[in-house]
Amino acid sequence: LCVSLSLCVCVSLYGLFEKRLFLLEEAEGGFDQFTRSYRTFGVNRMADNRLVLREWAPAAEALFLTGDFNGWDNFSHPYEKKEFGKWELCLPPKHDKSPAIEHNTKLKVVVHTKKGERLYRISPWAKYAIQTEKQVIYDWVHWDPPQPYLHIHPRPKKPQSLRIYESHVGIASPDPKVASYTNFTTNVLPRIKDLGYNCIQLMAVMEHAYYASFGYQVTSFFAASSRYGTPEELKQLIDTAHSLDIVVLLDVVHSHASQNTEDGLNSFDGSDSCFFHSPPRGEHALWGSRLFNYSSWEVLRFLLSNLRWWMEEYRFDGFRFDGVTSMMYHHHGIGSMFSGDYSEYFGLQVDEDSLVYLMTANHVLHTLYPDCITIAEDVSGMPAVCRSVAEGGLGFDYRLAMAIPDKWIQILKELADEAWDMGNIVYTLTNRRYGENCIAYAESHDQFVVGDKSLAFWLMDKEMYTNMSSLIPMTPVIDRGIQLHKMIRLLTHALGGEGYLNFMGNEFGHPEWLDFPRKGNNESYHYARRQYNLLDTDHLRYRQLYDFDRDMNRTEDKYGWLAAPPAFVSAKHEGDKVIVFERGNVLFLLNFHPTRSQTNYRVAVASPGKYTIKLDSDEVQYGGHGRLDHNTEFFTEPQPFNERDNSMLVRNISERENSMLLRNTSERERDASLPALVSQL
């Protein structure tokens, strides 16, 4: 019955999607032209330097343009009212043929309402907004540089194994201030390349007036945040990333918008709706933000064109869609536990308009840009989110495996080491629908915003301030923390999904938590930064964690387990605290026992041959104890074990402080595509 219901809903949604495409073709000449509406809305300069301005303000009585160019005259430049709530203004060039509005000058739309109010607004299509010193409200600045940045490097090909470095430009520096696009280009991109990540997910790029919102209260959807620099500097960042063969994703927020009026979308035309549903449907009870009306033609134009703008103008390679769970349900996920019962995913609680929008967005993006990558932030687990639109799915390439980091935090908070449940850990890491790709991660920015801590801080806490020097013996706390930090990451990386994500700095065990300047902390930047300087001090053990993360990524790049089919788990032994699994022709062995090593431990393998160690977390360079001989060779026997035809004895599996990756060298000599063995023990 559930499968039948699912199929019926998908067919129904697909019919609505097809109808939307038909209407786009009939009314707009197709989605290609429709999604380029940023060329006709807002301010656009024509070939003869005429400026054509167009806005959608259906509830407005009159619209005027004011700014530096006319001495802030509120009435000298009226818009002409057109059909369907649109307004248009044409400004001929000056006598010297230059545009009537110069680059980098301030503007405002003056909206007269039917109630007789006069409102000052930023164009929803504004491409740049700035906040002058000691001013709360952002100003709209006309951005039309005489020499715009020209991208030199082509987009990299879509990676088969996606390894994501989640990043926030503003905190990407050890200095207590807002860092810049240029700093990220110069100082952070080389680290990302060295670490072996092939994808950057940029947060908080869409302009947001409140820095502490982490970029999730967007005010100007077409403007790259000016707090980090200019649009041209962001373009250079992306172009430089492309030169390093790194794709760049934008953390796009189409699930809601800031409630700000003077520098946001809210009440743009003086009404309580315009781009949004009227209250209460148009308000998010927990986020204090406005919710889009996805059934509106002009909202569809705005949002789809927004995606196209970031792809075309800035040459992003795709998007991580924020708040997809909130979009898909009328209850926005509030108070819903999502047990996995299909009745939770299909019914009147589902917002069909939102689903059709997401289908349309993915169809447009993947049709125009075949290598485009889209990721859904969905905690609900709705079926078919990551199946193609042609199959009736929403069309995303990946969804975030959001249960995994929650599981690790729960374990570290609630369980003693002896109580770790190997079966439950494996279940959490493998509990995903076959054929729907997931991005696994041990922690993202969500796990240690103010009020919580990073995994490293959960593991080592205050000793990170005093005992991270390699010049002194490791304390038991530091020893345990460093080893588990590596093991948690390798297990998540190898077993948890078809892609992997790490938040910037966490790869080397960044201490403390994350907190942006706000009244509650006296506007301090102390926790709104990434202390990359810790890596520059060679005797600090942060470097050891960095080196392991780097070599883990490089090993995956060589053997490709993320792009391989799901793993075969041959052992999850509760007494021994050992997990053994094969994936991508690699064998992984992990011993989470806090005190007991295993000797002559039999493990199951599919492919016969000789295995050797290729990655070993017990190496001294990774903060381990160097107890394994890398010249050791492991030979299989034709002895069935744990549902495999072959098995072998591993002589020493150290407790919680040793991980090794073993490669089937005899198979490799015959066929380079055959198995490797990765083992962390």
Side-chain angles (χ1 to χ4, degrees), residues 2 73 204 207 247 488 505 523 553 579 632 637:
C2 290
D73 189 318
E207 190 60 88
V247 298
I488 287 170
E523 304 297 334
N553 281 322
I579 297 172
T632 303
E637 304 171 75

Side-chain angles (χ1 to χ4, degrees), residues 448-663:
F448 61 107
V449 291
V450 64
D452 215 327
K453 300 182 289 190
S454 67
L455 285 182
F457 216 54
W458 276 112
L459 288 163
M460 296 176 276
D461 207 72
K462 61 183 180 181
E463 289 204 24
M464 297 189 76
Y465 298 123
T466 57
N467 296 327
M468 285 295 280
S469 173
S470 61
L471 302 178
I472 60 175
M474 278 194 291
T475 65
V477 169
I478 295 297
D479 195 359
R480 170 182 178 270
I482 285 179
Q483 314 318 327
L484 284 178
H485 193 273
K486 291 178 289 185
M487 293 182 73
I488 287 170
R489 277 171 157 69
L490 180 58
L491 181 58
T492 302
H493 200 303
L495 193 60
E498 289 68 41
Y500 178 76
L501 178 143
N502 165 67
F503 182 69
M504 61 189 313
N506 287 5
E507 71 277 1
F508 63 82
H510 198 284
E512 299 167 338
W513 52 88
L514 185 61
D515 189 14
F516 286 84
R518 53 189 175 85
K519 290 183 179 179
N521 63 14
N522 295 318
E523 304 297 334
S524 172
Y525 285 87
H526 180 75
Y527 297 108
R529 59 197 180 109
R530 299 279 89 182
Q531 299 181 58
Y532 287 110
N533 57 300
L534 295 174
L535 296 173
D536 300 327
T537 306
D538 292 337
H539 69 267
L540 293 181
R541 296 191 184 276
Y542 298 102
R543 185 75 206 187
Q544 297 169 345
L545 295 177
Y546 176 100
D547 288 346
F548 179 78
D549 196 83
R550 176 198 64 205
D551 291 349
M552 176 176 65
N553 281 322
R554 291 180 179 180
T555 304
E556 194 289 325
D557 188 59
K558 184 175 182 180
Y559 299 125
W561 59 73
L562 287 171
F568 178 85
V569 181
S570 60
K572 40 189 174 181
H573 198 289
E574 298 302 335
D576 296 338
K577 300 300 179 191
V578 169
I579 297 172
V580 182
F581 63 94
E582 298 164 273
R583 189 177 184 195
N585 293 326
V586 174
L587 178 64
F588 296 82
L589 310 174
L590 300 99
N591 179 9
F592 281 97
H593 202 288
T595 59
R596 190 171 73 220
S597 297
Q598 306 293 340
T599 56
N600 293 323
Y601 200 80
R602 185 165 296 278
V603 297
V605 292
S607 300
K610 179 180 68 177
Y611 288 76
T612 56
I613 299 172
K614 296 297 181 183
L615 180 64
D616 170 15
S617 70
D618 195 43
E619 285 196 74
V620 174
Q621 63 170 320
Y622 305 142
H625 299 279
R627 292 169 294 192
L628 292 183
D629 181 359
H630 284 217
N631 294 317
T632 303
E633 297 176 337
F634 304 87
F635 294 91
T636 64
E637 304 171 75
Q639 179 176 335
F641 186 68
N642 285 352
E643 300 182 50
R644 288 308 209 201
D645 292 335
N646 302 284
S647 61
M648 64 183 179
L649 291 175
V650 180
R651 297 169 194 168
N652 181 35
I653 304 176
S654 304
E655 78 281 1
R656 196 180 60 192
E657 298 172 352
N658 172 27
S659 65
M660 54 184 171
L661 181 157
L662 309 183
R663 174 65 175 170

Side-chain angles (χ1 to χ4, degrees), residues 156-283:
K157 292 182 179 180
K158 182 178 179 178
Q160 286 188 322
S161 295
L162 199 62
R163 301 183 297 274
I164 303 172
Y165 198 78
E166 186 184 31
S167 305
H168 186 294
V169 169
I171 66 173
S173 163
D175 299 323
K177 64 178 184 180
V178 178
S180 66
Y181 295 123
T182 300
N183 166 73
F184 195 94
T185 303
T186 304
N187 298 317
V188 183
L189 282 182
R191 294 188 189 273
I192 297 173
K193 178 65 176 178
D194 178 63
L195 280 164
Y197 291 94
N198 54 22
C199 177
I200 299 168
Q201 181 180 299
L202 280 184
M203 307 174 61
V205 168
M206 303 168 78
E207 190 60 88
H208 49 291
Y210 184 43
Y211 189 44
S213 75
F214 227 140
Y216 293 123
Q217 294 279 346
V218 176
T219 46
S220 291
F221 282 73
F222 285 81
S225 182
S226 61
R227 54 172 53 85
Y228 319 127
T230 68
E232 312 312 302
E233 289 166 341
L234 173 57
K235 293 175 186 177
Q236 185 177 28
L237 185 162
I238 296 170
D239 198 26
T240 305
H242 286 170
S243 74
L244 298 173
D245 209 30
I246 297 172
V247 298
V248 186
L249 307 183
L250 174 67
D251 198 345
V252 70
V253 186
H254 281 183
S255 50
H256 64 131
S258 168
Q259 280 194 339
N260 288 18
T261 54
E262 287 192 52
D263 54 7
L265 286 184
N266 191 20
S267 190
F268 173 68
D269 63 355
S271 72
D272 65 358
S273 53
C274 195
F275 288 92
F276 312 106
H277 290 291
S278 296
R281 184 180 177 184
E283 295 178 331

